[in-house]
Amino acid sequence: YLSDVYLYDFNKKKSYKVTDGMSHAASPAFSPDGKYLYFTASTNAGITAVGLDMSTRERPTRNGIYAVVLAADGKSPLLPKSDEEELKKKSDDNKKDDESKDASEKKVAVKIDLKGLSDRIVALPVAQQAYFGMEVAHDGNLLYIQYSQPGSGIEANGQPTQNNALIRFDFEEKKAEKLLDDVAGFTLSNDKKVILTISSDGKLKTAKIEKKLESKELNTAEVKIKVNPQQEWGQIFDEVWRTERDYFYAENMHGLDWEAIGKRYKKLLPHVGRRADLNRLMVEMIAELQVGHNRVGGGDVSREAPVPVGLLGANLRVVNNQYQIAKIFTGEKWNPSLKAPLSAPGIGAKEGDTIHSINGNALTGETNIFSLFENTVGKQVTLMVSTDGKKKNAKKVIVEPIANEQNLRFWSWVEGNRKAVEEASNGKVGYVYLPDTANGGFTFFNRMFFAQTDKKAMIIDERRNSGGQAANYITDILSRQYLASWKDRDGMGFDTPGAGVYGPKVMLIDQDSGSGGDFLPYSFKRMGLGKLIGKTTWGGLIGIAANRQTIDGGMVLVPFFRFFTPDSEWRVENEGVAPDMDVNLDPTLVNRGRDTQLEAGIKEVLNQLKSYKPVRLHKAPPLPTKVGQ
């Protein structure tokens, strides 16, 4: 899965390998004078090579930058230059002027000696970090992007810290220097004298490539395009049909006559009256394949600008024709990016209080309280609140409403489950929730599992898991074997592996878990890690990789690769992963605050603990009493 750099001879129609397969080589770029080929190479990228694996997350890769001296008699670009002045002739200046005038017209003669080529690879003196997008400017200096890798930090808004920088390696000075911050990508003009960059927020900027870059934003506000919707819709329809034909994982299209299907649905194209109708038509067409992960959507559809409605992060109820605060969501602990408007110490409101007015507008139970929070997101709002329901005793509370309460409510549910498990098991059993098998699942697992490895058993809850990657990282850790313990002079003991739960484990699953949320319980079951409890999962394990955009920004996601078992069977797609213990989530009990699937998981794991014999030792054996023992 690692890549090499090759040279291709157009005359002989033959490829020649430059690198030796012991690194991950990328970003090749020729120098304008044809003397050098530059590239990046990483010797620690192997663990990240298969991006489907969750074990690739937050694994920083390190690249060096290298130059290949193409001619056998060529010289390294890093050789020291003589500090002796050369004797100039009067004709030299005129000669240089002529050379500079003719430089653009002269054809570069490229000489490549294949013999000993790999021995003429030179490492540039740069730090080994993540680099990509390498190009060589007109002055022969290298331009590339230094990539800020995920996991290094998280901003206050919850987004990963990311500040990709444009770097130049100056061969005159023989060192790298930062030119610009926040560069997501760049390209050079044909003469390599002008650079066009794009920032993380999509701004385009240009600059002449000189010692310092004077970057100016490119104004695209006046750029317009005339579109004939019916012609564009026809082009989009054809492209979606072709994309399915060319990228669907099975070239036989599961036995369907794809040509005939395309013709049948295209007959309805003249009746499409808007972009949303086109999406519906294409969805009906691709649904003929009867597989998951097959999606079409977006594009130039009509979107109304929403009115932001502020929320208090609380459950409200009407009692005696008055609004009361029934529950205040806190965001729980350790979530710096979550804002809970009513939970800050000293805010002046608590559960059970009555809200009498909002920004001076009287409030009764007959009023839709949310109508008084229109356009208040992030703005100061004044509430009059009392503890006894009497308006005369109300006090002023100033809050800043938020746009969305979903994560506040979500974390309340997760923490509620964890505490319920802890209480029901008398602290013996841990609880980990996995919302997906991508960034969320990776983050949640690391946060919740390792903090509870003092537990004897574990419940893994992946209900409503939206998938992402193949969560081998999680199953690898859940399947760890106890290898040894250690004792130091101070009497402290610790284990290898440093963290593990070796007792009973169960996994909660349901019909809303799919994709990576199918693969995780499949893996858990196949590895014999424990019982699955709940309902059969969604059943979608044909993954998407051929994801393209249509001309108007719409999306096409095509099932490109399919899962099969070590037993050489196509499984799970349209089938799901069945539980060992089939348990319904009783909606009546849910409304009363009970979770029947979680209760079944607790009961099962406690029952298994009765016969479980711990393997981890908490006490060291007696100390040796003889020398050499």
Side-chain angles (χ1 to χ4, degrees), residues 39-42 61-66 123-132 134 144-147 149 167-169 174-177:
F39 64 92
T40 65
S42 171
T61 56
R62 296 184 295 274
N63 295 304
I65 300 179
Y66 301 84
L124 302 192
V126 298
Q128 291 186 55
Q129 296 184 22
Y131 303 123
F132 71 93
M134 201 154 58
Y144 50 91
I145 292 175
Q146 181 178 310
Y147 176 57
Q149 301 195 64
I167 308 294
R168 171 169 56 201
F169 185 85
K174 295 182 177 58
K175 67 178 184 180
E177 58 180 346

Side-chain angles (χ1 to χ4, degrees), residues 301-309 374-375:
V301 296
S302 176
R303 294 180 179 89
E304 297 296 328
V307 176
V309 177
E374 289 182 1
N375 288 310

Side-chain angles (χ1 to χ4, degrees), residues 218-286:
L218 194 63
N219 182 13
T220 59
E222 298 304 312
V223 176
K224 308 290 181 186
I225 184 171
K226 287 186 176 181
V227 174
N228 181 319
Q230 288 187 325
Q231 289 182 357
E232 186 174 83
W233 294 340
Q235 189 274 338
I236 291 170
F237 181 93
D238 289 344
E239 184 155 351
V240 167
W241 178 86
R242 284 197 305 270
T243 301
E244 293 283 344
R245 178 197 65 188
D246 295 343
Y247 293 99
F248 187 67
Y249 89 96
E251 59 272 14
N252 68 353
M253 306 301 282
H254 283 182
L256 292 176
D257 186 341
W258 194 241
E259 192 86 29
I261 286 174
K263 289 178 181 178
R264 186 190 342 153
Y265 283 92
K266 194 167 185 177
K267 290 178 182 178
L268 298 173
L269 196 57
H271 302 285
V272 168
R274 55 181 185 155
R275 182 62 168 84
D277 294 341
L278 177 65
N279 278 340
R280 182 166 183 175
L281 176 63
M282 294 188 297
V283 166
E284 293 289 336
M285 176 178 68
I286 66 177

Side-chain angles (χ1 to χ4, degrees), residues 7 68-74 110-118 120:
L7 288 167
V68 184
V69 181
L70 297 175
D73 58 355
V110 181
K111 179 185 177 184
I112 301 177
D113 294 311
L114 296 172
K115 186 176 180 181
L117 185 65
S118 62
R120 299 195 299 274

Side-chain angles (χ1 to χ4, degrees), residues 97 180 359 503 628:
D97 290 339
L180 293 173
N359 280 345

